[in-house]
Amino acid sequence: MNKAITLEIPSQVEYLSLVRAVVASAASLDQSLGDQRIDDLRLAVSEATTNAIRAHARLDSNERITIRFGIDGDRIEVEVQDRGPGFDPETLDPAGPLTDTGRLEYEGGFGIPLMKILADEITIESADEGTTVNLVVYVSPPSEKSNN
Amino acid sequence: MMLTLSHSTIGNWTIIHVAGEVDMATGPQLRQEIVRHVSEGNIHIVIDLQNVDFIDSTGLGILVGGVKRARSNGGDFRCSGLSGSLQEVFSLTGLDSVLLSVDLNQDPSTWEPLNE
């Protein structure tokens, strides 16, 4: 990964805005990435970091969360790594549309679907020792690339 | 990052003005403000997001909770002042299907009625 930046933060919600600011600033160094895509990346990384902080809270862990940012050609890649108790991403139940009866009773269920929509690629690797979320945004979205 | 909250009224509507970023750090402030207003009987609420340029899933969940709280008490819950970025997030998550947007410059009697 070229032009890599590594950020290690304490597992505290007060650091979320710092992570967003660093990711947005670093992504804007590639001047071909539009503001909307930077906003998409900023939100996706914020969601991944929020989940990491929650995972550490469940473990009562003081370990740090690692965020790695890199630009490789036309790929912007961000990896968020925690050391909390893992989970099986395949077993997550989708929360369903907000118009479904009873859906308003539940405030959660937005984070992972948002990451999947906003990033061009996402992989979630989770084990007992922690979870790594890898988010990729293309400077030119894949659909445009295939048309060129 | 601080979240600044204030409120005003238009007719029987309470307008909660939000400024800053709404996330896991600041969201609890907003939830507390919504709960306070509903518990005081202010069940017709508009969340003014004109000065919010970032909202995450925690914030979206708090707005869902606001819709539920206001409606279950016989009221209504709307939003206003969405930036393009927020509009995109509301659309992607389907929040715009239950949280209707209003124009605070127009009389509330002209706002789209709640369709239930």
Side-chain angles (χ1 to χ4, degrees):
Chain A
M1 193 186 292
N2 295 328
K3 303 176 187 173
I5 297 168
T6 300
L7 196 59
E8 283 198 352
I9 63 162
S11 183
Q12 295 172 12
V13 293
E14 291 78 8
Y15 287 85
L16 283 169
S17 59
L18 173 69
V19 171
R20 289 195 296 269
V22 170
V23 166
S25 296
S28 66
L29 292 175
D30 189 320
Q31 296 181 346
S32 54
L33 193 64
D35 288 345
Q36 185 60 57
R37 295 301 285 151
I38 292 174
D39 283 349
D40 290 347
L41 181 64
R42 182 173 68 138
L43 177 52
V45 174
S46 189
E47 294 297 340
T49 310
T50 297
N51 287 346
I53 291 171
R54 287 199 175 110
H56 280 208
R58 281 197 291 276
L59 193 63
D60 196 21
S61 168
N62 290 322
E63 292 214 56
R64 292 184 168 232
I65 292 162
T66 305
I67 298 109
R68 295 186 186 87
F69 175 100
I71 300 177
D72 192 355
D74 62 353
R75 288 165 56 95
I76 294 182
E77 189 171 341
V78 184
E79 185 181 271
V80 179
Q81 184 177 40
D82 69 56
R83 291 165 184 81
F87 67 101
D88 183 354
E90 301 300 323
T91 61
L92 290 176
D93 288 330
L98 284 166
T99 47
D100 282 1
T101 304
R103 175 63 180 88
L104 293 179
E105 301 291 329
Y106 176 52
E107 295 186 6
F110 293 111
I112 289 179
L114 264 177
M115 283 191 281
K116 288 181 174 176
I117 294 169
L118 296 171
D120 292 321
E121 293 176 17
I122 176 171
T123 56
I124 302 174
E125 292 177 2
S126 195
D128 292 344
E129 312 79 52
T131 299
T132 300
V133 177
N134 193 273
L135 300 157
V136 175
V137 168
Y138 287 100
V139 174
S140 301
S143 56
E144 289 182 27
K145 283 155 61 86
S146 61
N147 292 336
N148 291 336
Chain B
M1 180 63 67
M2 293 284 292
L3 195 68
T4 304
L5 299 171
S6 60
H7 70 275
S8 60
T9 56
I10 301 177
N12 67 338
W13 289 85
T14 297
I15 319 299
I16 299 177
H17 306 279
V18 188
E21 297 184 337
V22 186
D23 65 8
M24 192 183 175
T26 61
Q29 272 180 266
L30 177 58
R31 180 187 284 110
Q32 193 175 26
E33 183 76 350
I34 294 168
V35 169
R36 182 177 71 82
H37 278 290
V38 173
S39 67
E40 290 175 357
N42 305 320
I43 55 174
H44 292 83
I45 292 175
V46 177
I47 296 289
D48 174 15
L49 299 169
Q50 185 178 1
N51 293 312
V52 171
D53 78 338
F54 179 85
I55 188 164
D56 75 350
S57 61
T58 307
L60 299 177
I62 289 165
L63 297 181
V64 167
V67 172
K68 181 226 158 190
R69 282 188 180 89
R71 289 188 186 173
S72 63
N73 283 277
D76 195 2
F77 194 89
R78 308 284 180 103
C79 67
S80 180
L82 300 184
S83 66
S85 178
L86 262 61
Q87 275 180 3
E88 186 204 19
V89 174
F90 279 38
S91 172
L92 289 173
T93 55
L95 186 58
D96 56 354
S97 63
V98 294
L99 181 55
L100 302 181
S101 187
V102 299
D103 183 349
L104 290 176
N105 294 315
Q106 293 186 345
D107 189 278
S109 64
T110 68
W111 293 350
E112 185 183 349
L114 188 62
N115 183 21
E116 282 191 305

